[in-house]
Amino acid sequence: MSRKFFGTDGVRGQANTFPMTAEMALKLGAAAGSYFGRDGANGHRVVIGKDTRLSCYMIENALTAGLCSTGMNVLLLGPVPTPAVGYLTRSMRADLGIMISASHNPASDNGIKFFGPDGFKLSDEAEIAIEALLAAEIALATPMQIGRAKRIDDGLGRYVEYAKTTLPRGTRLSGLKVVVDCANGAAYKAAPEVLWELGAEVIPVGVSPNGTNINQNVGSTKPQLAAETVVAHGADVGICLDGDADRVVILDEHGQVADGDQVMALLASRWAAEERLNDGTLVATVMSNLGLERFLGARGLRLERTAVGDRYVVERMREKGLNLGGEQSGHIVMTDFATTGDGLIAGLQVLLAMAETGQKASILTRQFERVPQKLQNVRFRPGQKPMEAGSVQAAIRDAEARLKGQGRLLIRKSGTEPLVRVMAECEDEALLNEIVGGLVAEIEAVL
């Protein structure tokens, strides 16, 4: 059975439009509560965090009502990063964790992500089971077993304290001037606080959320303002998070961007030298640059690739007992510290490298030369299936033949937006541009 509502990162869509409506959130809450409370015992608990979108209030209340109706006790964290929900689900011995966020998407979107009692995102099997319950008659709690809801005021503080413990005891970041861009999102309080408490001089950007400005010209997908701020203030480094702070990109002292591939290369090489990179292996997705693979191979390290989505990276890491993985987009998963991508903790690891080596960010975040890569997105409407068109399939076969031995091609539907992503890598940039441009034009012609 395939998943109808769950994508690569929970249920997502435009707020107040199906499936991201209050009614659907109520049903999802009841279905999740029924699934995790299926042993019939009372007293199950669920923690709920959210980012700063206006629609989070509506969805939070609807989810709470659905969960309480099945006897779940709800602990409301307020605005916290997604990784904080994973951490607090385990720390507070909850049966379920929920994050309300559409991550890097615009404020008009929202999403619901689920975490199991171990703090990891749910498996495909669990999501399929919850979807099945949406269509079933859910058994509601008796009047005397309806769940309670409670605000947890110190959830953010617990995460702030934990984030600091991921650095060696006594580490101080004194002397580092750091721009931190919180995308007007979930980390707008936590990230500057952690950096300040560790002794850094902090210049915050994107810390004035108003419900509608999350990711708006700020954050990991729009780092221009942060880059300008780094240069204007003579900062040593910039840390750019996305709306729910599970992604990060790093800016060097010149404002140049280093993506997740460069961060993973830095951490993998450091951890390998310290003999703490499990099995000498890094896990990344098919989107990671070929240059990363070559960099690792030259050092006797391995790259394992997965499907796109940090959940698939984590699944492979857990399956093989590996402790470092991530995505080019900036999800950096360090299972020694967190159960999901954590942009702030990954940023702290970069700052630790700077503090310990005395090297500038421009040196540390340029670990390898990227193979020229081009990615273009083509938006489609609901019901359209451009990838099934014969002309598109023929164009893909022709492109793969032309790239054989010179590069690689990846075409896929996004799991979070109605987009077809066309990506290719090739040393010959003229050929690269020709192939990607031709495929995009073919897909657009079909649409």
Side-chain angles (χ1 to χ4, degrees):
M1 179 179 175
S2 63
R3 295 170 299 167
K4 180 179 179 183
F5 299 112
F6 284 89
T8 56
D9 201 10
V11 180
R12 194 175 294 195
Q14 188 173 61
N16 240 10
T17 302
F18 186 81
M20 203 43 55
T21 61
E23 179 184 15
M24 184 63 170
L26 178 75
K27 290 180 178 178
L28 267 174
S34 179
Y35 178 77
F36 281 92
R38 58 191 181 278
D39 60 2
N42 200 23
H44 291 292
R45 60 176 62 167
V46 51
V47 298
I48 300 181
K50 62 182 180 180
D51 66 21
T52 56
R53 296 163 207 270
L54 183 63
S55 58
C56 284
Y57 295 99
M58 172 188 77
I59 295 171
E60 179 186 54
N61 287 326
L63 276 171
T64 300
L67 289 159
C68 288
S69 75
T70 56
M72 300 287 282
N73 294 315
V74 179
L75 308 177
L76 299 166
L77 302 174
V80 294
T82 286
V85 173
Y87 166 68
L88 291 168
T89 298
R90 290 190 302 174
S91 174
M92 302 181 77
R93 278 62 170 177
D95 302 277
L96 172 65
I98 299 177
M99 179 66 183
I100 307 168
S101 175
S103 190
H104 60 285
N105 285 24
S108 55
D109 290 351
N110 217 327
I112 301 172
K113 308 178 185 182
F114 292 91
F115 294 83
D118 57 2
F120 288 94
K121 291 180 181 177
L122 296 188
S123 65
D124 289 351
E125 292 74 21
E127 291 181 347
I128 289 170
I130 291 173
E131 281 204 9
L133 287 169
L134 290 173
E137 188 71 29
I138 294 175
L140 302 179
T142 65
M144 303 309 293
Q145 291 184 314
I146 292 172
R148 302 172 184 267
K150 176 183 179 180
R151 290 278 172 191
I152 303 298
D153 295 327
D154 65 343
L156 184 67
R158 295 188 193 193
Y159 172 71
V160 165
E161 285 303 307
Y162 174 70
K164 292 188 296 180
T165 69
T166 62
L167 296 184
R169 183 181 293 273
T171 298
R172 290 189 58 82
L173 302 178
S174 304
L176 286 179
K177 184 183 291 189
V178 183
V179 170
V180 59
D181 182 350
C182 301
N184 292 319
Y188 79 101
K189 288 184 178 179
E193 182 70 17
V194 168
L195 294 168
W196 177 78
E197 290 188 14
L198 287 169
E201 180 181 345
V202 183
I203 304 165
V205 172
V207 291
S208 302
N210 62 16
T212 62
N213 63 354
I214 188 171
N215 300 314
Q216 187 176 59
N217 298 319
V218 285
S220 62
T221 57
K222 300 281 182 62
Q224 292 85 353
L225 176 60
E228 292 170 3
T229 305
V230 166
V231 174
H233 287 264
D236 299 293
V237 65
I239 297 173
C240 296
L241 307 171
D242 70 338
D244 68 335
D246 64 353
R247 293 189 187 193
V248 66
V249 299
I250 302 296
L251 304 173
D252 69 17
E253 68 274 16
H254 307 299
Q256 297 298 306
V257 176
D259 63 13
D261 284 350
Q262 295 286 358
V263 175
M264 288 189 288
L266 170 64
L267 299 188
S269 61
R270 280 175 55 83
W271 289 15
E274 297 166 3
E275 298 185 344
R276 50 184 288 227
L277 180 67
N278 290 0
D279 201 27
T281 302
L282 171 72
V283 181
T285 76
V286 291
M287 295 295 290
S288 279
N289 194 269
L290 188 58
L292 173 61
E293 190 168 348
R294 292 173 177 173
F295 169 85
L296 295 171
R299 286 155 182 79
L301 307 176
R302 292 189 301 278
L303 176 67
E304 286 219 11
R305 292 188 184 268
T306 72
V308 175
D310 66 308
R311 61 180 291 149
Y312 302 115
V313 171
V314 173
E315 285 177 5
R316 183 70 59 81
M317 292 170 68
R318 297 181 73 189
E319 173 192 340
K320 298 199 171 184
L322 305 176
N323 62 342
L324 181 62
E327 295 191 278
Q328 185 185 68
S329 60
H331 284 120
I332 309 298
V333 184
M334 300 159 289
T335 51
D336 292 346
F337 306 130
T339 57
T340 187
D342 193 315
L344 174 58
I345 290 179
L348 291 179
Q349 289 294 309
V350 175
L351 297 182
L352 177 63
M354 294 177 67
E356 289 185 341
T357 66
Q359 292 184 316
K360 293 184 176 181
S362 56
I363 302 298
L364 293 172
T365 61
R366 292 294 180 275
Q367 294 287 311
F368 64 89
E369 288 297 322
R370 298 175 75 256
V371 173
Q373 184 184 80
K374 187 167 185 176
L375 170 67
Q376 282 189 237
N377 298 322
V378 184
R379 187 170 294 274
F380 59 88
R381 295 188 301 275
Q384 291 184 311
K385 299 179 180 180
M387 298 302 295
E388 296 181 9
S391 59
V392 172
Q393 289 296 317
I396 292 173
R397 288 192 296 271
D398 177 65
E400 288 175 334
R402 297 178 67 190
L403 278 173
K404 189 173 183 179
Q406 301 185 65
R408 64 190 188 102
L409 175 68
L410 178 67
I411 301 180
R412 66 179 187 90
K413 288 175 63 176
S414 168
T416 59
E417 299 178 83
L419 299 173
V420 173
R421 303 194 189 278
V422 180
M423 188 276 281
E425 289 177 333
C426 181
E427 298 284 3
D428 184 340
E429 290 199 56
L431 178 60
L432 176 68
N433 291 329
E434 184 180 337
I435 284 176
V436 173
L439 286 169
V440 167
E442 190 62 49
I443 294 170
E444 288 177 338
V446 169
L447 294 174

